[in-house]
Amino acid sequence: MNNERWYQDLSVRNANRDYTGIISAISENYLNVPSHLQYVHIHYSLAMAYIAQGNPLAGISNLKIILNQIEKLTLDSNGEFFVSKIQMQLELLEGFFNNVLLFWENKHLDAATKIRDYAAQTGDQVLSTAAEIVMNQWHRVDTAEGACFVPRSPNMLQIEPTNICNMRCTMCPREKMKRTMGFMDIDLFRNIFNGWSSKYLTLPLEHLVFGGTINAIRRGAIKFFFMGEPLLHDSFSEMIEIVKKEGCTIVLQTNGLLLNDEFICENLLKAKPNVIGISIDGMSESSYEKVRRGSSYQMILNNVKNLYCARESLGLSKDINIFISTIVADHSEDAYNKAEVFLKPMAQFADRILYISLTRNREPVFFNSEGKMELMKSMQNSVNEEVFFCKEPLGKLNVLWNGDITPCCYDIDGVLKLGHSTDGIDRIWTGQQTVKLHNAILNNDSSEFPLCRECKNTL
């Protein structure tokens, strides 16, 4: 095998960490090989290049391609052993990148335990370390229904740079908010990352073809969003840069109104958030302007277009995704069709359209299926409560502009305070109040959490 041209080519690229070159070379030159073992080695090398490059989904997909073809391949005992190691690495990767917030049967934890035991018997230290990392990601909670698992550290932080806004949207509960308004201090923001272990995690994997170790990286997620417009913060671009330096991914959700300011737009793009989400609701120009009070349809259309064109001119289409999120009053086909028609002029300037269900808990004013504005009454939850099982507080925390930590976005006034960011994110997550909340959710008992009970009992 070592004398094969593909091996010589790819091993040099791997030694130089030229993972993009490996992906290109394999895709262009080496996918069609006569040997079944070569097929396995090359697809495996492609998978590991994607993982090392920071694209774990593509890496996992290529490992699955190998295993899905295994019945069609003729391999000797060495080849079969090689594939068995791939299977173990795949199971660890799926456990490492699993974003399911909880499950009653943790198959990834079970697999990691077996792999750790195997590694102990064979003396495979890299495999043992990887298995331990996956096992230590989860905390067991015993409930009336059995054991379930939540992350030992939150996967995501939703951060509110400010609770001041430049719009008065009819469906937003902001006008009912009683909190003091202000902007997050930049030093307070920096401090958030000091006590958060999930901000950047690595999983070491032995490269089974070229030797050495490849690190799979899982990045914590930050979202700038809550009761204000993030672009109003004078230091929003510096905050994005801090997030990137900490190794996290960053989504900034904006109403898009300030994107007509060239200085703001330029600074936003230069900071390179992973996603810029723009909230646009309506099924016509008039309904948009009635819901999004303080904006105009033509302005927002131009702003989205200019943002897209500026991104393309700077060559940042691979670095920044532009999403449009839109609220629909119901899940009917008619509602989606009308929203799609309304968004068509600007859909060409976005990478993705996200449809979000209207939250009726606080009885917002919104447009109905005919486009007319009306008060959307909340409805009593009359179906099985399991449908409304709340997973949000089991994987994320909310950070208000003053540093107060709350469990979810329903708590607009910070009533259910779990701590302060200076206490440390992990310390808050494993603290008495948060653990008590997690146990209450998992045992479907909101008796001591009126805010949760209020949210759960209405739609």
Side-chain angles (χ1 to χ4, degrees):
M1 180 187 70
N2 292 5
N3 293 323
E4 297 287 347
R5 183 171 66 88
W6 70 265
Y7 183 89
Q8 299 298 330
D9 179 16
L10 300 184
S11 62
V12 170
R13 295 179 189 270
N14 186 72
N16 293 327
R17 298 184 180 181
D18 179 16
Y19 303 118
T20 300
I22 291 175
I23 293 167
S24 298
I26 291 177
S27 301
E28 294 171 7
N29 303 314
Y30 301 129
L31 283 179
N32 297 318
V33 292
S35 164
H36 287 182
L37 186 58
Q38 285 180 1
Y39 173 90
V40 173
H41 286 162
I42 288 173
H43 270 282
Y44 174 81
S45 299
L46 179 62
M48 295 300 278
Y50 275 122
I51 290 167
Q53 192 186 49
N55 189 348
L57 291 179
I60 289 172
S61 176
N62 274 277
L63 292 180
K64 287 182 176 180
I65 287 174
I66 297 172
L67 298 177
N68 289 338
Q69 293 293 319
I70 204 66
E71 293 183 358
K72 300 178 182 177
L73 303 178
T74 303
L75 301 172
D76 59 18
S77 58
N78 289 333
E80 290 175 354
F81 177 72
F82 187 90
V83 170
S84 72
K85 296 290 289 285
I86 292 176
Q87 177 68 55
M88 285 187 276
Q89 289 188 342
L90 175 60
E91 288 175 339
L92 292 175
L93 282 165
E94 289 186 319
F96 184 63
F97 287 104
N98 176 54
N99 287 322
V100 177
L101 301 182
L102 70 145
F103 25 75
W104 307 108
E105 295 182 4
N106 195 327
K107 65 178 183 178
H108 299 301
L109 185 59
D110 292 341
T113 303
K114 293 177 181 178
I115 291 170
R116 181 201 58 183
D117 294 342
Y118 167 84
Q121 294 174 2
T122 58
D124 191 328
Q125 188 57 50
V126 176
L127 196 62
S128 177
T129 299
E132 289 284 354
I133 288 172
V134 174
M135 291 170 64
N136 290 333
Q137 285 184 166
W138 302 98
H139 169 66
R140 175 177 173 140
V141 179
D142 292 311
T143 75
E145 300 295 327
C148 64
F149 302 85
V150 296
R152 288 189 182 272
S153 176
N155 302 318
M156 176 183 177
L157 301 180
Q158 182 169 279
I159 298 178
E160 176 188 71
T162 180
N163 61 346
I164 297 172
C165 195
N166 52 354
M167 280 192 190
R168 296 173 293 110
C169 302
T170 61
M171 68 290 188
C172 179
R174 192 176 170 280
E175 292 184 359
K176 299 177 182 179
M177 182 183 64
K178 300 174 184 177
R179 280 189 289 132
T180 302
M181 289 187 284
F183 294 89
M184 182 173 283
D185 178 79
I186 192 67
D187 290 328
L188 176 68
F189 179 76
R190 284 193 185 94
N191 183 71
I192 291 172
F193 299 90
N194 293 336
W196 183 30
S197 60
S198 285
K199 67 181 180 182
Y200 186 89
L201 297 173
T202 60
L203 183 77
L205 298 170
E206 179 191 358
H207 199 302
L208 302 177
V209 173
F210 301 126
T213 302
I214 293 290
N215 281 323
I217 298 170
R218 199 187 82 184
R219 303 177 188 276
I222 297 290
K223 185 174 184 179
F224 285 175
F225 172 76
F226 196 33
M227 299 305 294
E229 169 53 48
L231 295 182
L232 286 171
H233 199 294
D234 289 341
S235 301
F236 77 84
S237 59
E238 183 181 356
M239 295 168 88
I240 294 171
E241 289 168 359
I242 290 170
V243 173
K244 302 281 280 188
K245 286 178 182 177
E246 292 288 348
C248 304
T249 62
I250 169 71
V251 175
L252 183 142
Q253 192 71 30
T254 174
N255 58 36
L257 200 59
L258 292 175
L259 294 175
N260 63 347
D261 185 313
E262 289 186 13
F263 179 78
I264 289 177
C265 190
E266 181 180 355
N267 281 348
L268 176 60
L269 290 172
K270 285 184 177 179
K272 298 181 183 178
N274 299 88
V275 176
I276 300 171
I278 307 171
S279 302
I280 303 172
D281 311 300
M283 56 176 62
S284 65
E285 288 190 32
S286 62
S287 63
Y288 169 80
E289 292 172 359
K290 287 176 181 177
V291 167
R292 293 269 167 187
R293 293 179 299 182
S295 183
S296 78
Y297 174 79
Q298 288 301 324
M299 176 188 290
I300 209 69
L301 175 59
N302 289 334
N303 287 357
V304 174
K305 178 181 178 181
N306 291 339
L307 177 70
Y308 174 84
C309 292
R311 183 191 71 169
E312 298 305 295
S313 67
L314 292 170
L316 296 174
S317 60
K318 292 183 179 180
D319 300 290
I320 303 172
N321 284 301
I322 298 174
F323 289 178
I324 291 175
S325 60
T326 188
I327 296 174
V328 291
D330 58 66
H331 287 291
S332 68
E333 184 177 349
D334 183 55
Y336 284 106
N337 289 340
K338 288 179 178 177
E340 185 178 355
V341 171
F342 165 66
L343 293 171
K344 188 174 182 179
M346 61 185 75
Q348 60 186 310
F349 306 121
D351 301 297
R352 189 176 177 187
I353 307 290
L354 303 176
Y355 296 93
I356 302 169
S357 299
L358 176 67
T359 301
R360 301 188 180 212
N361 303 72
R362 292 189 170 94
E363 300 191 340
V365 174
F366 204 65
F367 54 85
N368 60 22
S369 59
E370 297 176 357
K372 297 179 180 179
M373 302 297 290
E374 69 175 56
L375 181 69
M376 297 293 181
K377 288 282 188 179
S378 60
M379 298 174 289
Q380 286 301 116
N381 173 6
S382 59
V383 298
N384 190 324
E385 286 190 348
E386 287 186 7
V387 176
F388 304 97
F389 187 86
C390 186
K391 294 183 180 181
E392 184 176 350
L394 299 171
K396 61 171 272 193
L397 289 173
N398 231 28
V399 187
L400 306 185
W401 71 266
N402 65 351
D404 285 348
I405 304 291
T406 64
C408 69
C409 57
Y410 187 71
D411 189 3
I412 63 174
D413 282 319
V415 174
L416 188 48
K417 182 179 174 180
L418 302 176
H420 191 272
S421 60
T422 52
D423 300 330
I425 295 299
D426 287 352
R427 184 175 295 179
I428 293 170
W429 187 257
T430 57
Q432 183 178 0
Q433 184 73 349
T434 307
V435 171
K436 183 178 179 181
L437 174 63
H438 288 171
N439 286 334
I441 292 171
L442 293 169
N443 285 287
N444 199 24
D445 178 12
S446 58
S447 58
E448 295 188 45
F449 297 94
L451 200 70
C452 297
R453 189 165 62 250
E454 177 186 330
C455 177
K456 182 175 71 171
N457 290 335
T458 58
L459 295 174

